Each structure stands twice: as structure tokens, then as C-alpha cells.
Amino acid sequence: MSWIPFKIGQPKKQIVPKTVERDFEREYGKLQQLEEQTKRLQKDMKKSTDADLAMSKSAVKISLDLLSNPLCEQDQDFLNMVTALDTAMKRMDAFNQEKVNQIQKTVIEPLKKFGSVFPSLNMAVKRREQALQDYRRLQAKVEKYEEKEKTGPVLAKLHQAREELRPVRDDFEAKNKQLLDEMPRFYNSRLDYFQPSFESLIRAQVVYYSEMHKIFGDLTQQLDQPGHPDEHRERENEAKLSELRALSIVADD
């Protein structure tokens, strides 16, 4: 949302105090920043949930691919291990989907709804600027007749110009006052609006990672073999890899 004041001729009279213009620009600037932050947060949350879903779906696919590996038909221990992994990945995916649904409902949708009000605000600002443009134009017209010699035709035109000016001035002042009153209220409302969403986001993450701790704790207990620390497994893998490299079909030419 961007605001560029109309470039028109200025009347000699300062029709809008500089302090009022500064207040308006400050409050509107805060809302412009809020709109940009809201859009960015909504986009980042969507990217995050999409990435979460892709991760858990990929994990499930990997475990299914392992289950279809011929080794599972030949080695019961390997089959048991992969089956345990597959069960864990499916549980993870289910909880992940639940978390993403919760975030979509309580965070992303409220962000989207909050962002939908900014176009209306933008139009209100444009209407205010159009009213100010009309106000300046008619004020300049009044000043032009006030500077002329006070003949009958000039006085008639001056009276007409003042009559034209009055409702336009009142319209601008009403629009200006409404925006100056409501923009700070709208900006301050963001705290009460977003706090429940962010609390829900934190709770969803806490529940998810608590469940992940349980799932992978259970998986660790099923896979761990007493007396076989990681260092031992690494040495075994290296020894088996050396045997494979020694085969003629994989030897370097």
C-alpha cells in the first residue's frame, strides 16, 4: 500500500496544519509497515507449512521404498527395523498434518483476513487525498477573487466560490478526522487480534515436538542393540565397504 500526495497548486492559506499532516503521515506509515509485515508473515507461514508437509511425506515415501527393498524378504531383522521406521514415519506424518491444519486455521487464515482490510483503508486514504485536492483547488479560487477589486461581478463570484468551498472543506475535515481517529485504533488492535494466533502457533509446535520425542524415543528403543555403539557400527560398515570395493566388478581400471 503506497501513498503519494497529489501534486497540485497550493493556496496561500495553510489549510491543513503541518502538525496534522505529520500526524497523518506517521499513523499511515505505521499501517503501511503493518500491511507489509502481515503479507510477509502470511507468505512465510505458508512456505513453512508446505515444507513441513513435504518433509513428512518424503519420510513416509522413503520408509515405503525401504519396505519394498529385496533385503526385507531375506533378513527378518532388517524387515523388523524398517517396519518400525515406517510406523514411526506414518505417525510423524499424521501429527504433522494435524499441526499444519491447526496452523492454517488459527494463524494463516486470520493473517489473510487481517490483510483483507487494507484495500479498504487504502481507498479511504485516497478519498481523503481527493477531498484535500478539491479543498485546495477551491481555497485557491476563493483567494483569487478575494485579491481582486471588489466589483459586483467579483463579489458574486467570491460568494459562489465560498459556497462551493464550504461543503468540500467540511467533507475533507470529516474524512481527515475519521482517519486520524481510527488509524491508531486499528494499529493498536493488532495485539489483541494476533495474540491468540501466535499462542496457538506455539501450542501446536509444542504438541508436535512432544509427540516427535515420544515417537523417536520408541523407535530408538526398538532399533538399539545392546553392545553395539555407533563407533562399532561405523567400523562394521567400513569393513563391509572395503570388502565391496575389493570386488573386481567395482575395482578401478
Side-chain angles (χ1 to χ4, degrees):
M1 188 164 49
S2 60
W3 169 55
I4 302 176
F6 292 95
K7 303 297 183 181
I8 63 173
Q10 298 288 328
K12 295 179 180 179
K13 179 182 177 182
Q14 181 70 39
I15 59 176
V16 181
K18 292 182 178 180
T19 55
V20 173
E21 278 298 311
R22 283 197 297 267
D23 288 345
F24 183 88
E25 291 174 6
R26 181 188 66 249
E27 295 301 327
Y28 189 57
K30 287 160 63 176
L31 292 179
Q32 287 178 298
Q33 185 180 36
L34 178 60
E35 181 191 26
E36 181 61 31
Q37 291 170 339
T38 302
K39 287 180 179 179
R40 188 185 309 121
L41 183 57
Q42 181 185 344
K43 182 178 179 181
D44 290 345
M45 288 301 306
K46 184 65 168 59
K47 288 171 63 177
S48 175
T49 54
D50 288 347
D52 281 351
L53 285 177
M55 178 275 297
S56 62
K57 297 298 182 188
S58 295
V60 170
K61 186 177 185 305
I62 290 171
S63 66
L64 289 173
D65 289 344
L66 287 172
L67 278 175
S68 64
N69 191 296
L71 283 173
C72 289
E73 300 176 1
Q74 303 169 9
D75 189 323
Q76 186 61 41
D77 289 339
F78 185 68
L79 175 60
N80 293 340
M81 180 178 67
V82 174
T83 300
L85 174 65
D86 183 60
T87 300
M89 294 303 96
K90 288 177 179 176
R91 290 174 63 195
M92 178 184 72
D93 184 49
F95 280 111
N96 194 33
Q97 183 66 63
E98 186 176 326
K99 178 194 70 173
V100 168
N101 290 343
Q102 181 73 6
I103 292 174
Q104 177 69 33
K105 179 180 178 181
T106 62
V107 182
I108 297 178
E109 286 300 324
L111 281 169
K112 185 177 180 180
K113 290 177 181 178
F114 189 81
S116 68
V117 306
F118 286 99
S120 297
L121 172 63
N122 191 33
M123 286 303 301
V125 171
K126 287 183 178 180
R127 287 192 292 268
R128 183 254 191 196
E129 292 308 312
Q130 182 62 56
L132 178 57
Q133 181 185 26
D134 294 340
Y135 184 8
R136 285 171 172 162
R137 175 177 55 81
L138 291 173
Q139 178 63 37
K141 184 178 180 180
V142 167
E143 291 175 0
K144 181 184 70 173
Y145 290 124
E146 286 178 339
E147 293 170 356
K148 288 186 176 183
E149 182 180 354
K150 300 301 187 290
T151 63
V154 169
L155 289 174
K157 290 180 180 179
L158 175 60
H159 175 74
Q160 181 180 356
R162 286 172 174 169
E163 289 298 311
E164 292 175 0
L165 174 63
R166 186 178 299 109
V168 172
R169 179 187 61 221
D170 292 345
D171 180 54
F172 166 76
E173 290 178 349
K175 286 181 169 61
N176 188 61
K177 183 178 185 303
Q178 182 181 30
L179 282 167
L180 285 174
D181 287 345
E182 294 184 1
M183 285 194 298
R185 288 165 53 192
F186 178 79
Y187 183 77
N188 292 332
S189 72
R190 75 197 190 284
L191 299 176
D192 291 336
Y193 183 85
F194 283 124
Q195 185 172 343
S197 292
F198 295 145
E199 288 177 353
S200 179
L201 172 62
I202 294 170
R203 283 195 297 268
Q205 297 285 9
V206 168
V207 169
Y208 173 74
Y209 285 106
S210 296
E211 293 297 334
M212 292 308 98
H213 179 74
K214 295 176 184 177
I215 289 171
F216 285 97
D218 293 344
L219 182 61
T220 299
Q221 291 180 0
Q222 295 179 63
L223 299 183
D224 274 352
Q225 299 177 16
H228 290 275
D230 290 341
E231 294 81 2
H232 177 76
R233 293 193 182 96
E234 289 177 7
R235 288 194 297 270
E236 284 187 342
N237 287 341
E238 284 297 326
K240 292 173 182 177
L241 184 59
S242 296
E243 293 176 6
L244 292 174
R245 286 172 176 166
L247 296 175
S248 60
I249 59 173
V250 296
D252 295 334
D253 293 335

